[in-house]
Amino acid sequence: MKSLALTLLLAATLSSSAQTAPGVSSYKYFRVGAPADIHVQPRAGYALMGGGTDLDEAFRWLCGHAGGGDLLVLRAAGTADYNPYIQTLCHLNSVATLIIPDRAAASEAFVTTAITNASALFIAGGDQARYINFWSGTPVEAALRAAIKRGVPIGGTSAGLAVLGEYIYSAQNDKPNDKDLNSDEALADPFYRQVVIAPELVGIPVLRDVITDSHFDTRKREGRLLVFMARILASGKTKTIRGIGVDERTAVLVEGDGSAQVIGQGEADFLEATSKPEVCEQGMALTFEPIVFYPVRTGTGFDLKNWRTDETGATFSVRAGQISFKPSL
């Protein structure tokens, strides 16, 4: 049986590669498990993973929403190393990885068919600028949005988490030798070169008016998330902006109705603002207040639809680029 499965896997990989004309960059497709997709009834859900070492419980939750069908990992670069990891954790018909490295690949019929047939989707970490540059406005974006409307569950970690909200920190102006955008740079100048906000890619209803960030506590990203929120409010595109910052080895598991649970080793921070920033201009330090803040610990729930939790809230204020904090509402 193993030799037959390997033969089928190699045949699928070779046939998919052969669909692209010579000299044109193409997708790569790797699959383990059954060679053919099956029809199941998945259950909507959204696994917001904060990055770092992968969290087994979050993947089991995502697999549980797949209805025993076929989980597809999406990447713009990288390997198929998620396949054996997820296959070991979950009882699924198959696990596959689809690498979509350019806009030409994002227009291939095989690529959109693979997304359409998936019972669950997971967007890996990496560089979210590639996801925006390669997938936005292509059949891949259309297929992802259609999958969400059908109730297909989706998860993402790190860069994969960044592209799940309605607003996306896209990192599109990052240069090859740039370090990650840090909070001090963003707070000192909300229009700093690396602060680029892109519109949504996936279209998750309960993440409307939301921007996400990962590696939140480890990389001290509170300040830059506040800048993202300020920029969005200042643009006039919405009157309410919400942010979700997720620590490493932590996940927010969101059901289709917006009820969520935080799991893992850290916490998730939920922020909300409804007033435009007082100062949000190029070359000037940010002044922005108030921002309501709920730090939600592992094992605690959060209601995304009503933006409420049993945890005690707090407030952030930013004046001339300096953050102050009031511990309770």
Side-chain angles (χ1 to χ4, degrees), residues 65-82:
H65 284 62
D70 302 280
L71 188 147
L72 182 64
V73 177
L74 297 173
R75 315 188 74 143
T79 68
D81 53 0
Y82 269 112

Side-chain angles (χ1 to χ4, degrees), residues 154-176:
I154 188 169
T157 188
S158 193
L161 168 60
V163 298
L164 295 184
E166 181 179 8
Y167 299 97
I168 300 168
Y169 163 56
S170 69
Q172 287 171 285
N173 278 354
D174 283 15
K175 297 179 180 178

Side-chain angles (χ1 to χ4, degrees), residues 38-251:
I38 60 173
H39 178 73
V40 299
Q41 186 61 51
R43 182 159 47 100
Y46 317 105
L48 315 181
M49 306 183 199
T53 305
D54 290 309
L55 195 60
D56 294 355
E57 186 180 348
F59 280 95
R60 291 193 183 101
W61 181 91
L62 184 61
C63 291
H65 284 62
D70 302 280
L71 188 147
L72 182 64
V73 177
L74 297 173
R75 315 188 74 143
T79 68
D81 53 0
Y82 269 112
N83 286 7
Y85 166 67
I86 297 173
Q87 187 188 40
T88 300
L89 289 174
C90 302
H91 299 288
L92 294 170
N93 183 61
S94 74
V95 181
T97 293
L98 181 59
I99 301 172
I100 312 169
D102 51 40
R103 295 184 71 84
S107 297
E108 294 279 1
F110 180 90
V111 168
T112 52
T113 297
I115 296 171
T116 298
N117 290 345
S119 308
L121 298 163
F122 173 73
I123 304 178
D127 180 355
Q128 62 260 41
R130 292 181 176 181
Y131 297 147
I132 301 300
N133 292 336
F134 299 163
W135 302 354
S136 180
T138 73
V140 165
E141 177 179 350
L144 288 171
R145 289 176 177 271
I148 296 303
K149 289 181 178 179
R150 292 194 305 273
V152 173
I154 188 169
T157 188
S158 193
L161 168 60
V163 298
L164 295 184
E166 181 179 8
Y167 299 97
I168 300 168
Y169 163 56
S170 69
Q172 287 171 285
N173 278 354
D174 283 15
K175 297 179 180 178
N177 295 324
D178 278 343
K179 296 180 180 179
D180 284 350
L181 172 67
N182 67 50
S183 290
D184 289 344
E185 290 167 335
L187 288 165
D189 181 359
F191 286 81
Y192 183 72
R193 171 177 54 83
Q194 288 178 268
V195 180
V196 184
I197 310 297
E200 68 180 343
L201 180 70
V202 177
I204 298 173
V206 297
L207 295 184
R208 190 71 60 198
D209 293 325
V210 170
I211 185 166
T212 62
D213 210 350
S214 58
H215 305 278
F216 202 59
D217 183 62
T218 303
R219 301 185 187 180
K220 307 301 180 187
R221 288 181 165 174
E222 296 89 347
R224 78 177 207 174
L225 182 56
L226 293 172
V227 168
F228 301 157
M229 294 170 66
R231 282 282 305 271
I232 295 163
L233 281 176
S235 75
K237 293 179 180 178
T238 183
K239 293 182 179 180
T240 298
I241 186 62
R242 292 164 169 173
I244 302 176
V246 188
D247 289 351
E248 292 185 359
R249 287 196 55 76
T250 305

